[in-house]
């Protein structure tokens, strides 16, 4: 028994799983965040340039369609971030790892922000195209409900003072929400559909290639932005939660000494 | 079989008896349902055709709100007097007595709504043949609301401002039930038949019955520990 445990202790520093420890992840997140932010900034400039100057005017919708360069990536990210949140919630509940819960809480505000952005830009697009800011259409409505799920998650984790309970309660509501998202989506679709069908599918796309390129560049930029913001948020959460440990004390001393 | 049925019946009977002893509390939910439904004509106007059109939606939304209003009762008392901890310490499976508690809660707060709904629907001049579908949709749908709501109630147990938070957590999850429930009556009235919606509600009920007790049990354990 002694032998195996000492072996595994020797092996763990090489494993990627060592970043499951907040102490190890903190410097990694610090290194990665500026890079992600830089990539996000560069790609946003490129993507918006393609979107506003290179991509042709749509023959049906005119210039209004250009909102998709923000709208579609935001909508994608809002759904993807919820999935990521549910994934970390499940990992946290099963393996009881501290970093997983920190990840869920760091992801939620960004997801809610993208959700709101998608709704807002969609409303701005809807006024000239459909003649109204809001219709009770399947996709809009399920996006709105997704926003409510994000808000519920954040409100619940904020309302509980005990950290451990907040983490686990939040994880449960994230998972319950994740099970419900497809049900909500299909029920609302049954109920009413006006939104145009998806233009981009894994098999092909009905858009001009420059439009698609601009949108994909913006999508990657959103990914990079999400990574950057989440890493920074994770770092503050780690400092807050591990404030009783020695290494956080040393870290804060070092930061204050530097500035 | 008997080993599982025993604790189930015991918890069910206890909760029903507690509800019976404090029946004024329980009747408030029903009164709320009736009052909310009766407020709509004042807000919208007494035009019969319009009232007939909105009746299923109004009844369903009112049922949903009264469910929400009564949810905090589900675990709060037991949490306050320590019964909940004793139940969690007991060797019986948590999901089992959670289902018993939710069943008792539904019999006490949900069933009266199902019974009262057809009478209220008449106030909105709903066609009599649609009353059966309305009652059936509520009978299938309101237990789903209770089961989903139980998870929310367990998560917000003992929190400050838990009631508002509970609404925020649970209402988005209620939307599919609302759509299919109110949709069943509309589909019946439009002549397409309500079978699809009712089957989906039934499926949803079975799904909720299979999954939510475990989520609720986990949430209770987190809340109490």
């Amino acid at each position: 028994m002694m032998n195996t445990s000492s072996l595994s202790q020797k092996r763990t520093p090489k494993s990627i799983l060592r970043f499951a420890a907040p102490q190890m992840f903190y410097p990694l997140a610090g290194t990665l965040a500026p890079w992600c932010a830089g990539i996000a900034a560069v790609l946003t400039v490129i993507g918006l340039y393609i979107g506003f100057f290179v991509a042709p005017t749509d023959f049906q919708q005119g210039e209004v369609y250009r909102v998709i360069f923000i709208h579609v990536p935001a909508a994608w990210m809002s759904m993807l971030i919820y999935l990521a949140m549910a994934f970390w919630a499940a990992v946290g509940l099963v393996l009881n790892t501290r970093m997983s819960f920190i990840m869920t809480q760091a992801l939620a505000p960004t997801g809610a922000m993208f959700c709101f952005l998608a709704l807002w830009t969609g409303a701005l697009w809807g006024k000239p195209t459909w003649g109204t800011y809001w219709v009770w259409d399947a996709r809009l409505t399920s996006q709105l409900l997704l926003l409510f799920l994000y808000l519920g998650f954040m409100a619940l984790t904020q309302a509980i003072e005990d950290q451990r309970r907040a983490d686990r309660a939040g994880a449960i509501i994230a998972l319950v929400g994740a099970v419900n998202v497809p049900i909500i989506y299909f029920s609302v679709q049954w109920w009413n559909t006006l939104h145009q069908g998806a233009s981009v599918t894994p098999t092909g796309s009905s858009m001009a290639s420059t439009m698609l390129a601009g949108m994909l560049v913006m999508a990657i930029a959103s990914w990079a932005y999400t990574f950057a913001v989440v890493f920074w948020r994770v770092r503050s959460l780690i400092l807050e939660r591990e404030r009783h440990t020695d290494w956080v004390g040393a870290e804060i001393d070092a930061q204050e000494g530097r500035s | 079989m008997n080993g599982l049925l025993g604790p189930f019946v015991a918890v069910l009977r206890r909760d029903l008896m507690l509800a019976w002893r404090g029946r004024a509390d329980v009747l408030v939910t029903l009164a709320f349902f009736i009052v909310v439904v009766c407020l709509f004509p004042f807000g919208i106007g007494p035009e019969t055709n319009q009232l007939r059109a909105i009746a299923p939606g109004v009844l369903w939304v009112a049922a949903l709100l009264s469910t929400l209003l009564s949810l905090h009762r589900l675990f709060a008392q037991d949490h306050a007097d320590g019964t909940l901890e004793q139940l969690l310490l007991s060797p019986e499976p948590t999901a089992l007595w959670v289902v018993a508690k939710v069943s008792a809660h539904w019999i006490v707060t949900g069933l009266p709504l199902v019974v009262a709904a057809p009478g209220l629907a008449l106030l909105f001049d709903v066609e009599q043949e649609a009353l059966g579908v309305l009652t059936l949709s509520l009978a299938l749908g309101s237990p789903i609301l209770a089961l989903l709501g139980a998870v929310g109630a367990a998560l917000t147990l003992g929190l400050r401002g838990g009631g508002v938070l509970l609404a925020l957590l649970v209402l988005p999850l209620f939307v599919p039930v609302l759509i299919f429930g109110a949709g069943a009556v509309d589909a019946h009235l439009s002549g397409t038949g309500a079978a699809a919606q009712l089957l989906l509600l039934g499926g949803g009920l079975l799904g909720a019955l299979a999954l939510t007790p475990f989520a609720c049990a986990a949430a209770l354990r987190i809340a109490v520990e």
Side-chain angles (χ1 to χ4, degrees), chain B:
Chain B
M1 187 64 205
N2 211 11
L4 284 180
L5 215 56
F8 181 88
V9 172
V11 172
L12 185 73
R13 185 177 294 159
R14 169 184 172 276
D15 274 25
L16 285 178
M17 186 175 289
L18 277 176
W20 179 248
R21 300 259 160 91
R23 30 190 188 275
D25 276 7
V26 171
L27 285 176
V28 169
T29 311
L30 182 62
F32 176 81
F33 177 64
I34 295 170
V35 168
V36 167
V37 169
C38 292
L39 277 178
F40 273 86
F42 295 112
I44 288 166
E47 222 272 296
T48 314
N49 281 329
Q50 200 170 21
L51 287 182
R52 199 182 295 135
I54 62 164
V58 166
L59 284 163
W60 259 97
V61 170
L64 204 144
L65 291 177
S66 3
T67 308
L68 195 65
L69 203 69
S70 64
L71 272 178
H72 69 98
R73 297 173 34 90
L74 189 49
F75 299 116
Q77 267 184 340
D78 288 349
H79 183 53
D81 66 13
T83 314
L84 202 62
E85 284 180 46
Q86 295 302 319
L87 279 169
L88 279 167
L89 285 173
S90 75
E92 319 301 343
T94 311
L96 180 74
W97 57 260
V98 164
V99 175
K101 284 191 83 67
V102 176
S103 310
H105 181 75
W106 178 77
I107 291 171
V108 168
T109 59
L111 198 56
L113 305 190
V114 178
V115 174
L120 287 170
L122 288 177
L123 294 181
F124 284 71
D125 197 32
V126 175
E127 287 170 42
Q128 296 205 5
E129 77 225 57
L131 295 183
V133 177
L134 175 71
T135 315
L136 193 58
S137 74
L138 276 169
L140 285 171
S142 55
I144 309 180
L145 301 182
L147 283 164
L148 281 174
V151 181
L155 284 173
T156 56
L157 198 56
L159 296 183
R160 279 176 290 106
V164 186
L165 192 57
L166 181 59
L168 183 60
L169 287 182
V170 164
L171 283 181
L173 307 179
F174 280 0
V175 168
V177 185
L178 176 64
I179 288 174
F180 293 129
V185 186
D186 286 333
H188 179 78
L189 287 175
S190 70
T192 44
Q197 277 91 344
L198 291 177
L199 284 173
L200 278 166
L201 278 177
L205 176 56
L206 291 178
L209 205 54
L211 294 175
T212 53
F214 295 100
C216 195
L220 282 175
R221 232 172 259 124
I222 290 164
V224 168
E225 81 182 6

Side-chain angles (χ1 to χ4, degrees), chain A residues 93 145 148-149 151-153 155-156 159-161 164-165 168-170 172-173 176-177 179-180 183-184 186-188 190-191, chain B residues 148 151-152 154-160 165 168-169 171-173 175-176 179-180 196-197 200 211 215 218-219 222-223 225:
Chain A
L93 280 181
L145 292 174
F148 289 159
L149 289 179
L151 294 181
F153 173 86
L156 181 66
I160 305 176
E161 274 165 23
R164 197 176 139 76
R165 188 183 164 192
R168 315 186 122 247
I172 286 187
I173 200 68
V176 171
V179 171
N180 263 276
I183 301 176
I184 291 176
F186 286 112
S187 69
V188 172
W190 172 311
W191 177 57
Chain B
L148 281 174
V151 181
L155 284 173
T156 56
L157 198 56
L159 296 183
R160 279 176 290 106
L165 192 57
L168 183 60
L169 287 182
L171 283 181
L173 307 179
V175 168
I179 288 174
F180 293 129
Q197 277 91 344
L200 278 166
L211 294 175
I222 290 164
E225 81 182 6

